[in-house]
Amino acid sequence: MKTSKPLKVTLVSVSDPVIYGNPLALGCLKTYADSVLKKRAAVTIRECGIELSLKDPAAAAAAILGDKPRVVGFSCYIWNALAVISLCRELKRSSPSTRIILGGADATARGAAVLKDSLADILVRGEGELTFTELLSRFLAGKPWAGTPGTVALADGLPVEGPPRPVIENLDIIPSPYLAGLFDSGDYHYFVHETSRGCPFRCKYCVWSNRGGVRTFSLERVRSELDWLAARAPLDVGQRDDRNIFRVFVTDQDLLMQGRRAREVLRYVRSGTEGRFMRWIIHCDLRYWDRATAAAADYGKFLFCFGVQSLDRRVLRLAGRTPLPPGELKKRLALVKKYAPKANVVFQLMLGLPGDTPAGFLKSLRGCLKACDRVRLPRVNNPLRAGVQVFHTAVFPNTQFEKDAAKFGMEWDRNPPYLIKRLDGFEEKDFARCYKEMRDPKYSAEGITGASRIMIGVHGRLI
C-alpha cells in the first residue's frame, strides 16, 4: 500500500541573527506540530536576511520555493514586517497555490490589514502553537481555514475572525526546540530564551498587555535549557571585547516578578555559567527587587534592564504604568548597590510619551544618569556598570495609545516601526533637540556600552 508523502511546510525567519538571535518562536511551532502530526507533516525552518528580502524579494522567494513547500509561515514583527510583506507578495506572484500563514506581534496587532497588504491567506493571533498545528491538520483533511479559532482570514475582502483561542496553560506540552536539537548548528552567538509567558500589566503602548496570566515552564525544563545554552558559550579566557560575547536574552515580561522561582533560576544560571564568556539580558521592574532577589542577582554576567520609562509620575499613569511610591526608587537602588554590586544594569526610558515634554524627558534622563552613579561601585572587583537606554515611542496598531491618539495630538508613521512624529508638547524640532542632547560628548564615559552611558534604540535595534 502506497503511503502519502508528508505535507511540506517551511517556516521562514526573516531576521538578522546577530541582532535578534535564534528563531525561538518558529522552533516552538515546529516542535509542537511535530509532536502532534508526527510524520504527516515535514516542517522545516529557513532563515532569510532582512536586507535580501527587501532588496531582492524575488531571489529570496525563489530560495523558499526551492524547498517546494505547500505551506509557508512567517513570524511578523515591527523590525521585519515590511520585508515579510514584500516576500509574501512575491511568493503569491510566483506560486499562487502556496498557502501563507502569518503570526507574531505585528500580525496580531494589524489584523486583516496585514493580510490585505501581504496577500497572505491567514494570520494567527497571539500564541501560535495550537492554532498553527490545527491549520496544518485542516489542510491535510481538506478543510477550510477560515473560522479556525485564533485566526483572521479574508473572504471577498472582508475579515473572517475565528473565535478566541484560550492560552496554553501547560507550556510543557510544547517540546523544547533547544533540547530537540533545532539550534545545534552552533551558528548563533545570540539566543532568545523564555521561562514564562503572559503579562499582567496594562501598558497602553504595548500590543501584548494583559494577554493571559503569567504561565511558567517547569523548572526541570528551564534548567535543562539553561545547561544547553551555557555549554555552547565560549570559555572566558580574559576577552575584553564585549561585541563578541555570547548573549542570552530572556523574553519573560519580567522574570523577577516570580519571586522565589526567579531566584532559583538566577542561582542556577550563576552555578552553571562560571568560566563562560556570556551575558544574560533580563527585563524587570524595580518594584520586584528585595534583599533576597538582589543577592541572587549579584553576578557579573547579568544585565538587568529596568523599565523606568519616565520619572514623571503623571506621565507613567497616562501610559498605564503604576509608579513606585515616593521614596521607593531610592530604596530599591540602595538594595541593588548593596547586595548586587557585580550586576550590570540599564535604565530604560521612552522618548515622546503622552503628557511628557522635552524638559520633562531630559529631567528623567538626567535622573537616570544620577541613578547610574548611585549604584556604581568603582572600587570593587568586577564593578557594577550602569547606563541608560532610550527608546523612541511608537504607536502600535490596536493599542490604547492608538485609540487615545486624538486626545494627545499624536501623529506617527503608519508603517513599521510606527515611530511617533509629534504630539502635544513635542514637536519634531523637540525630538531633534533631545537626540542632540543625548549624543552630547559630556555623556561619554565608561558605561554599559563602554564608550557612552546612553544607548539610543528602536525596539532592540540601536540607531
Side-chain angles (χ1 to χ4, degrees):
M1 179 177 177
K2 186 178 179 180
T3 58
S4 59
K5 293 182 179 179
L7 172 66
K8 295 192 74 171
V9 182
T10 300
L11 295 173
V12 184
S13 173
V14 181
S15 184
D16 179 345
V18 174
I19 297 173
Y20 299 113
N22 60 306
L24 178 61
L26 298 185
C28 290
L29 294 180
K30 172 177 166 51
T31 57
Y32 184 75
D34 288 348
S35 71
V36 174
L37 300 176
K38 309 299 182 185
K39 295 182 180 181
R40 295 164 57 208
V43 182
T44 59
I45 297 176
R46 170 181 282 274
E47 298 198 46
C48 186
I50 293 177
E51 204 169 320
L52 174 63
S53 303
L54 287 170
K55 287 185 176 179
D56 195 349
I64 295 168
L65 292 174
D67 298 334
K68 295 183 168 44
R70 299 180 68 189
V71 178
V72 177
F74 293 91
S75 280
C76 193
Y77 304 101
I78 58 169
W79 61 81
N80 72 357
L82 296 179
V84 168
I85 289 170
S86 179
L87 255 180
C88 288
R89 295 181 71 90
E90 187 61 37
L91 284 171
K92 280 296 185 183
R93 186 191 69 79
S94 301
S95 179
S97 63
T98 300
R99 297 277 197 98
I100 300 177
I101 305 172
L102 296 183
D106 200 65
T108 293
R110 293 184 63 195
V114 76
L115 290 178
K116 292 178 181 178
D117 289 346
S118 66
L119 306 180
D121 296 278
I122 200 163
L123 70 85
V124 174
R125 279 188 159 166
E127 219 163 27
E129 289 86 0
L130 273 63
T131 306
F132 172 72
T133 298
E134 181 172 340
L135 289 174
L136 299 188
S137 295
R138 287 182 174 227
F139 188 96
L140 286 163
K143 296 180 179 179
W145 278 358
T148 302
T151 67
V152 180
L154 292 178
D156 298 323
L158 298 175
V160 178
E161 297 190 12
R165 185 181 293 276
V167 298
I168 303 171
E169 294 296 342
N170 177 16
L171 294 177
D172 283 349
I173 67 171
I174 306 165
S176 167
Y178 295 105
L179 306 181
L182 267 61
F183 307 123
D184 279 350
S185 67
D187 294 335
Y188 303 100
H189 293 278
Y190 182 27
F191 284 90
V192 292
H193 182 249
E194 59 179 354
T195 82
S196 69
R197 291 184 182 178
C199 180
F201 305 123
R202 296 180 178 271
C203 304
K204 295 182 180 179
Y205 48 78
C206 184
V207 175
W208 298 110
S209 288
N210 202 36
R211 285 188 177 271
V214 176
R215 295 150 288 132
T216 60
F217 290 91
S218 67
L219 276 173
E220 180 183 9
R221 170 184 172 135
V222 170
R223 291 189 190 104
S224 296
E225 292 180 334
L226 296 178
D227 289 341
W228 187 96
L229 289 161
R232 276 151 185 80
L235 293 175
D236 188 346
V237 291
Q239 301 96 317
R240 299 185 61 84
D241 188 353
D242 276 8
R243 289 175 297 180
N244 297 320
I245 199 167
F246 187 98
R247 293 172 293 157
V248 179
F249 173 69
V250 180
T251 65
D252 300 32
Q253 291 293 333
D254 191 330
L255 174 67
L256 300 190
M257 76 168 66
Q258 300 168 32
R260 180 181 296 178
R261 180 181 185 276
R263 292 191 289 273
E264 288 189 40
V265 172
L266 294 179
R267 293 187 190 109
Y268 195 83
V269 170
R270 289 175 60 172
S271 66
T273 58
E274 284 292 349
R276 297 289 178 173
F277 188 56
M278 62 192 312
R279 174 168 294 152
W280 300 75
I281 304 165
I282 301 167
H283 283 265
C284 59
D285 192 308
L286 273 165
R287 73 184 64 249
Y288 296 113
W289 281 71
D290 53 24
R291 179 174 174 174
T293 298
D298 186 28
Y299 191 46
K301 293 181 173 63
F302 288 146
L303 168 58
F304 292 100
C305 301
F306 298 138
V308 177
Q309 318 311 1
S310 173
L311 295 181
D312 187 309
R313 299 174 65 81
R314 176 176 174 272
V315 171
L316 288 174
R317 291 193 182 97
L318 289 174
R321 303 277 294 179
T322 303
L324 278 168
E328 284 300 307
L329 177 60
K330 289 184 178 180
K331 291 181 181 178
R332 297 298 193 279
L333 293 178
L335 287 172
V336 175
K337 181 175 182 178
K338 184 174 182 179
Y339 297 106
K342 296 176 184 176
N344 304 281
V345 301
V346 61
F347 297 87
Q348 295 178 321
L349 293 174
M350 293 178 68
L351 171 62
L353 286 170
D356 210 351
T357 63
F361 167 77
L362 292 174
K363 183 178 179 181
S364 291
L365 177 69
R366 292 167 188 140
C368 285
L369 288 169
K370 287 181 180 178
C372 291
D373 294 332
R374 189 173 289 122
V375 298
R376 195 181 295 269
L377 291 173
R379 288 185 295 277
V380 301
N381 291 330
N382 194 14
L384 180 148
R385 295 177 295 166
V388 178
Q389 187 174 28
V390 178
F391 292 102
H392 195 116
T393 298
V395 182
F396 300 122
N398 293 313
T399 59
Q400 193 60 45
F401 265 13
E402 185 185 55
K403 296 170 185 175
D404 292 341
K407 180 165 60 174
F408 296 109
M410 291 191 279
E411 297 177 9
W412 67 97
D413 189 342
R414 300 308 171 110
N415 292 315
Y418 313 111
L419 299 184
I420 198 162
K421 296 178 177 178
R422 67 166 305 279
L423 71 162
D424 294 342
F426 259 103
E427 299 295 332
E428 287 191 46
K429 60 181 175 59
D430 296 320
F431 282 102
R433 172 191 160 196
C434 290
Y435 277 111
K436 183 179 179 181
E437 173 72 13
M438 287 186 284
R439 292 188 171 105
D440 194 297
K442 66 187 175 187
Y443 298 127
S444 295
E446 187 175 356
I448 205 71
T449 59
S452 176
R453 301 172 68 191
I454 300 174
M455 295 178 285
I456 304 170
V458 180
H459 303 283
R461 292 199 70 164
L462 298 185
I463 59 174

